């Protein structure tokens, strides 16, 4: 899938703090986060590049308008196979409906395939099922959770 005109896709960078956290608020609570906290996490992700693939779509002004993370898990099963996990997909409110979400999923899926994953999985709300189906994913299993709030 080609990225819509006027946008580009790249890895997150420490200077993305404001627009990255603003975009993530479309998904959930971000909490009180200082610029230095964000930079620390970016540095941590960058130190494990085979595992963490934190991608962003930016507009012409280099502001983040979409976020997405692929984690590549090394397993023992399936002959020491790899599984991709997609997390934290968010598109800025004013930018939704422009195929940026689908572009992000397409890119994370491409990275997972290139990394040798035998599958990619994600959890989502029922109201997003159709979006992921349009991205080529299908329902499988049930999500379970235990919270430590
Ligand atoms: N339900 C049904 N269809 C949808 C939905 C939805 N919730 N969202 C998008 N679509 C459809 C679009 O109409 C479009 O259809 P078309 O190809 O027939 O025209 C197609 O899916 C692609 O849509 P995009 O334009 O790529 O969607 P967008 O850029 O708006 O991103 C997203 C969708 C990521 C769900 C966005 O609305 C968003 O950020 N929502 C809030 C945060 C969120 O819920 N994120 C997902 C969390 S799950 C996770 O992180 C693993």
């Amino acid at each position: 899938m080609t990225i819509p005109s006027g946008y580009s896709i790249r890895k997150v960078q420490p200077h993305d703090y404001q627009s990255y956290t603003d975009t993530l608020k479309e998904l959930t609570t971000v909490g009180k986060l200082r610029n230095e906290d964000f930079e620390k996490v970016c540095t941590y992700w960058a130190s494990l590049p085979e595992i963490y693939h934190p991608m962003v779509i930016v507009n012409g002004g280099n502001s983040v308008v979409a976020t997405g993370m692929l984690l590549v898990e090394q397993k023992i099963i399936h002959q020491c196979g790899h599984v991709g996990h997609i997390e934290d997909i968010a598109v800025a409110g004013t930018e939704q409906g422009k195929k940026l979400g689908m572009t992000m999923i397409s890119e994370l899926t491409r990275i997972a395939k290139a990394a040798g994953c035998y599958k990619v999985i994600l959890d989502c709300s029922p109201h997003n099922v159709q979006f992921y189906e349009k991205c080529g994913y299908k329902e499988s299993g049930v999500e379970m959770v235990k919270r430590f709030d």
Side-chain angles (χ1 to χ4, degrees):
M1 182 169 184
T2 50
I3 186 157
S5 168
Y7 299 90
S8 54
I9 193 160
R10 60 165 170 78
K11 279 202 165 178
V12 70
Q13 293 172 5
H15 64 75
D16 291 325
Y17 165 68
Q18 196 62 57
S19 54
Y20 190 91
T21 51
D22 283 348
T23 301
L24 268 183
K25 286 176 191 161
E26 290 294 327
L27 174 65
T28 189
T29 312
V30 176
K32 285 183 184 157
L33 191 79
R34 295 167 304 170
N35 201 339
E36 63 205 76
D37 300 321
F38 180 78
E39 289 180 10
K40 209 171 155 185
V41 173
C42 288
T43 302
Y44 173 70
W45 286 340
S47 74
L48 296 167
E50 290 186 358
I51 300 175
Y52 292 98
H53 301 266
M55 304 302 293
V56 293
I57 294 176
V58 294
N59 61 18
N62 208 22
S63 270
V64 173
V65 293
T67 67
M69 168 70 88
L70 172 78
L71 288 143
V72 175
E73 177 196 7
Q74 169 73 69
K75 301 186 80 73
I76 290 291
I77 60 169
H78 290 285
Q79 219 165 311
C80 296
H82 292 84
V83 170
H85 300 264
I86 285 181
E87 295 280 346
D88 298 348
I89 302 299
V91 176
T94 54
E95 304 278 353
Q96 291 178 7
K98 300 179 180 177
K99 300 282 195 288
L100 298 177
M102 192 180 259
T103 301
M104 175 59 76
I105 296 301
S106 166
E107 177 63 5
L108 297 177
T109 306
R110 187 197 64 75
I111 296 169
K113 196 171 179 197
C117 294
Y118 64 89
K119 69 174 179 181
V120 191
I121 56 179
L122 60 86
D123 295 326
C124 75
S125 307
H127 70 265
N128 281 330
V129 166
Q130 264 192 305
F131 165 69
Y132 286 108
E133 283 176 343
K134 288 189 171 177
C135 295
Y137 284 67
K138 60 180 184 185
E139 279 192 72
S140 168
V142 175
E143 178 191 346
M144 305 289 285
V145 66
K146 184 183 276 285
R147 292 192 174 275
F148 299 106
D149 298 329

